[in-house]
Amino acid sequence: QVRLVESGGGLVQPGGSLRLSCAASGSIFGIGIMGWYRQAAGKERAFERALVATITSAGSTSYADSVKGRFTISRDNAENTVSLKMNTLKPEDTALYYCYAVVRGISYWGQGTQVTVSS
């Protein structure tokens, strides 16, 4: 079994920064792409999660247009962790952020960590 545990969410003022982290554990041999998705309030179904950023085991990254230049994704392959540094946060970034990983062709999700951007 694969377990993903997120940390680092919270309340921040507009223009502020947060760093999310996710640790993968369990049967993670062959772990591939990792990343972050988010789900805004009122969008309750899993398919309504929106891609934020992904990173391959080789370090290739991809970002949603809405976060380019503000968010940076990174990973530590030795520690099986992925992080998301979020700068210049906006109220529209408010959402439940989910860690995501593909292990031997199967997708896994964390439980989510809430990020709220509000003054």
Side-chain angles (χ1 to χ4, degrees):
Q1 192 56 276
V2 173
R3 187 179 183 211
L4 301 175
V5 178
E6 304 103 333
S7 61
L11 173 64
V12 63
Q13 292 187 342
S17 298
L18 278 176
R19 185 181 185 90
L20 305 182
S21 296
C22 172
S25 61
S27 181
I28 55 175
F29 174 77
I31 190 168
I33 196 166
M34 300 183 76
W36 295 90
Y37 282 67
R38 64 188 181 186
Q39 191 161 10
K43 297 186 177 182
E44 304 299 328
R45 291 168 289 186
F47 71 85
E48 294 178 301
R49 294 175 186 175
L51 171 71
V52 177
T54 60
I55 184 167
T56 69
S57 56
S60 295
T61 59
S62 178
Y63 295 92
D65 287 343
S66 59
V67 307
K68 282 180 181 177
R70 299 188 298 123
F71 291 11
T72 302
I73 190 170
S74 60
R75 71 187 279 174
D76 184 328
N77 289 330
E79 297 292 328
N80 294 304
T81 59
V82 61
S83 297
L84 185 69
K85 181 66 189 302
M86 305 183 292
N87 295 325
T88 320
L89 282 160
K90 305 175 181 180
E92 51 263 43
D93 294 317
T94 296
L96 191 58
Y97 283 70
Y98 291 92
C99 178
Y100 164 82
V102 177
V103 182
R104 299 187 298 279
I106 299 173
S107 298
Y108 294 90
W109 299 88
Q111 292 299 304
T113 185
Q114 179 67 37
V115 172
T116 301
V117 185
S118 174
S119 55

PDB file of all heavy atoms in Angstrom, residues 1-16:
ATOM      1  N   GLN A   1       0.858  -1.188   0.000  1.00  0.00           N
ATOM      2  CA  GLN A   1       0.000   0.000   0.000  1.00  0.00           C
ATOM      3  C   GLN A   1       0.889   1.231   0.000  1.00  0.00           C
ATOM      4  O   GLN A   1       2.021   1.203   0.471  1.00  0.00           O
ATOM      5  CB  GLN A   1      -0.902  -0.007   1.246  1.00  0.00           C
ATOM      6  CG  GLN A   1      -2.018   1.011   1.212  1.00  0.00           C
ATOM      7  CD  GLN A   1      -2.902   0.895   0.006  1.00  0.00           C
ATOM      8  OE1 GLN A   1      -2.599   1.414  -1.062  1.00  0.00           O
ATOM      9  NE2 GLN A   1      -4.006   0.175   0.134  1.00  0.00           N
ATOM     10  N   VAL A   2       0.367   2.303  -0.569  1.00  0.00           N
ATOM     11  CA  VAL A   2       1.090   3.563  -0.666  1.00  0.00           C
ATOM     12  C   VAL A   2       0.359   4.605   0.165  1.00  0.00           C
ATOM     13  O   VAL A   2      -0.868   4.708   0.106  1.00  0.00           O
ATOM     14  CB  VAL A   2       1.186   4.037  -2.126  1.00  0.00           C
ATOM     15  CG1 VAL A   2       1.800   5.427  -2.208  1.00  0.00           C
ATOM     16  CG2 VAL A   2       1.998   3.042  -2.942  1.00  0.00           C
ATOM     17  N   ARG A   3       1.110   5.367   0.913  1.00  0.00           N
ATOM     18  CA  ARG A   3       0.520   6.419   1.737  1.00  0.00           C
ATOM     19  C   ARG A   3       1.188   7.742   1.406  1.00  0.00           C
ATOM     20  O   ARG A   3       2.414   7.823   1.303  1.00  0.00           O
ATOM     21  CB  ARG A   3       0.730   6.101   3.213  1.00  0.00           C
ATOM     22  CG  ARG A   3       0.007   7.050   4.155  1.00  0.00           C
ATOM     23  CD  ARG A   3       0.248   6.646   5.598  1.00  0.00           C
ATOM     24  NE  ARG A   3      -0.501   7.496   6.517  1.00  0.00           N
ATOM     25  CZ  ARG A   3      -0.105   7.805   7.744  1.00  0.00           C
ATOM     26  NH1 ARG A   3       1.044   7.320   8.204  1.00  0.00           N
ATOM     27  NH2 ARG A   3      -0.841   8.570   8.519  1.00  0.00           N
ATOM     28  N   LEU A   4       0.353   8.785   1.224  1.00  0.00           N
ATOM     29  CA  LEU A   4       0.845  10.133   0.977  1.00  0.00           C
ATOM     30  C   LEU A   4       0.318  11.023   2.094  1.00  0.00           C
ATOM     31  O   LEU A   4      -0.891  11.068   2.322  1.00  0.00           O
ATOM     32  CB  LEU A   4       0.362  10.652  -0.373  1.00  0.00           C
ATOM     33  CG  LEU A   4       0.758   9.842  -1.612  1.00  0.00           C
ATOM     34  CD1 LEU A   4       0.095  10.415  -2.858  1.00  0.00           C
ATOM     35  CD2 LEU A   4       2.267   9.823  -1.779  1.00  0.00           C
ATOM     36  N   VAL A   5       1.204  11.723   2.761  1.00  0.00           N
ATOM     37  CA  VAL A   5       0.810  12.580   3.880  1.00  0.00           C
ATOM     38  C   VAL A   5       1.284  13.995   3.615  1.00  0.00           C
ATOM     39  O   VAL A   5       2.489  14.245   3.477  1.00  0.00           O
ATOM     40  CB  VAL A   5       1.404  12.067   5.202  1.00  0.00           C
ATOM     41  CG1 VAL A   5       1.016  13.004   6.350  1.00  0.00           C
ATOM     42  CG2 VAL A   5       0.925  10.646   5.488  1.00  0.00           C
ATOM     43  N   GLU A   6       0.312  14.915   3.536  1.00  0.00           N
ATOM     44  CA  GLU A   6       0.615  16.323   3.281  1.00  0.00           C
ATOM     45  C   GLU A   6       0.770  17.094   4.595  1.00  0.00           C
ATOM     46  O   GLU A   6       0.196  16.715   5.616  1.00  0.00           O
ATOM     47  CB  GLU A   6      -0.493  16.992   2.460  1.00  0.00           C
ATOM     48  CG  GLU A   6      -0.814  16.342   1.143  1.00  0.00           C
ATOM     49  CD  GLU A   6      -2.065  15.519   1.169  1.00  0.00           C
ATOM     50  OE1 GLU A   6      -2.420  15.014   2.263  1.00  0.00           O
ATOM     51  OE2 GLU A   6      -2.699  15.365   0.109  1.00  0.00           O
ATOM     52  N   SER A   7       1.493  18.190   4.517  1.00  0.00           N
ATOM     53  CA  SER A   7       1.610  19.119   5.635  1.00  0.00           C
ATOM     54  C   SER A   7       1.900  20.512   5.083  1.00  0.00           C
ATOM     55  O   SER A   7       2.303  20.655   3.924  1.00  0.00           O
ATOM     56  CB  SER A   7       2.726  18.689   6.587  1.00  0.00           C
ATOM     57  OG  SER A   7       3.973  18.667   5.922  1.00  0.00           O
ATOM     58  N   GLY A   8       1.665  21.520   5.927  1.00  0.00           N
ATOM     59  CA  GLY A   8       2.066  22.878   5.566  1.00  0.00           C
ATOM     60  C   GLY A   8       0.956  23.818   5.168  1.00  0.00           C
ATOM     61  O   GLY A   8       1.221  24.992   4.900  1.00  0.00           O
ATOM     62  N   GLY A   9      -0.279  23.360   5.135  1.00  0.00           N
ATOM     63  CA  GLY A   9      -1.361  24.271   4.786  1.00  0.00           C
ATOM     64  C   GLY A   9      -1.644  25.244   5.917  1.00  0.00           C
ATOM     65  O   GLY A   9      -1.052  25.173   6.992  1.00  0.00           O
ATOM     66  N   GLY A  10      -2.544  26.185   5.662  1.00  0.00           N
ATOM     67  CA  GLY A  10      -2.913  27.139   6.693  1.00  0.00           C
ATOM     68  C   GLY A  10      -3.564  28.377   6.123  1.00  0.00           C
ATOM     69  O   GLY A  10      -3.937  28.419   4.949  1.00  0.00           O
ATOM     70  N   LEU A  11      -3.658  29.394   6.971  1.00  0.00           N
ATOM     71  CA  LEU A  11      -4.254  30.670   6.602  1.00  0.00           C
ATOM     72  C   LEU A  11      -3.142  31.684   6.348  1.00  0.00           C
ATOM     73  O   LEU A  11      -2.222  31.816   7.164  1.00  0.00           O
ATOM     74  CB  LEU A  11      -5.157  31.164   7.729  1.00  0.00           C
ATOM     75  CG  LEU A  11      -5.733  32.571   7.593  1.00  0.00           C
ATOM     76  CD1 LEU A  11      -6.668  32.660   6.400  1.00  0.00           C
ATOM     77  CD2 LEU A  11      -6.452  32.958   8.887  1.00  0.00           C
ATOM     78  N   VAL A  12      -3.230  32.382   5.233  1.00  0.00           N
ATOM     79  CA  VAL A  12      -2.211  33.372   4.888  1.00  0.00           C
ATOM     80  C   VAL A  12      -2.889  34.563   4.228  1.00  0.00           C
ATOM     81  O   VAL A  12      -3.933  34.413   3.577  1.00  0.00           O
ATOM     82  CB  VAL A  12      -1.136  32.752   3.965  1.00  0.00           C
ATOM     83  CG1 VAL A  12      -1.739  32.318   2.643  1.00  0.00           C
ATOM     84  CG2 VAL A  12       0.032  33.689   3.756  1.00  0.00           C
ATOM     85  N   GLN A  13      -2.313  35.728   4.401  1.00  0.00           N
ATOM     86  CA  GLN A  13      -2.867  36.930   3.778  1.00  0.00           C
ATOM     87  C   GLN A  13      -2.502  36.980   2.300  1.00  0.00           C
ATOM     88  O   GLN A  13      -1.486  36.400   1.878  1.00  0.00           O
ATOM     89  CB  GLN A  13      -2.332  38.172   4.476  1.00  0.00           C
ATOM     90  CG  GLN A  13      -2.829  38.333   5.892  1.00  0.00           C
ATOM     91  CD  GLN A  13      -2.419  39.673   6.495  1.00  0.00           C
ATOM     92  OE1 GLN A  13      -1.507  40.333   6.010  1.00  0.00           O
ATOM     93  NE2 GLN A  13      -3.098  40.066   7.551  1.00  0.00           N
ATOM     94  N   PRO A  14      -3.302  37.670   1.501  1.00  0.00           N
ATOM     95  CA  PRO A  14      -2.941  37.847   0.088  1.00  0.00           C
ATOM     96  C   PRO A  14      -1.539  38.432  -0.052  1.00  0.00           C
ATOM     97  O   PRO A  14      -1.162  39.340   0.695  1.00  0.00           O
ATOM     98  CB  PRO A  14      -4.011  38.813  -0.425  1.00  0.00           C
ATOM     99  CG  PRO A  14      -5.193  38.549   0.452  1.00  0.00           C
ATOM    100  CD  PRO A  14      -4.610  38.269   1.811  1.00  0.00           C
ATOM    101  N   GLY A  15      -0.781  37.876  -0.991  1.00  0.00           N
ATOM    102  CA  GLY A  15       0.600  38.295  -1.186  1.00  0.00           C
ATOM    103  C   GLY A  15       1.594  37.494  -0.373  1.00  0.00           C
ATOM    104  O   GLY A  15       2.811  37.611  -0.577  1.00  0.00           O
ATOM    105  N   GLY A  16       1.104  36.679   0.539  1.00  0.00           N
ATOM    106  CA  GLY A  16       1.975  35.889   1.402  1.00  0.00           C
ATOM    107  C   GLY A  16       2.448  34.610   0.734  1.00  0.00           C
ATOM    108  O   GLY A  16       2.163  34.344  -0.436  1.00  0.00           O
TER     109      GLY A  16
END
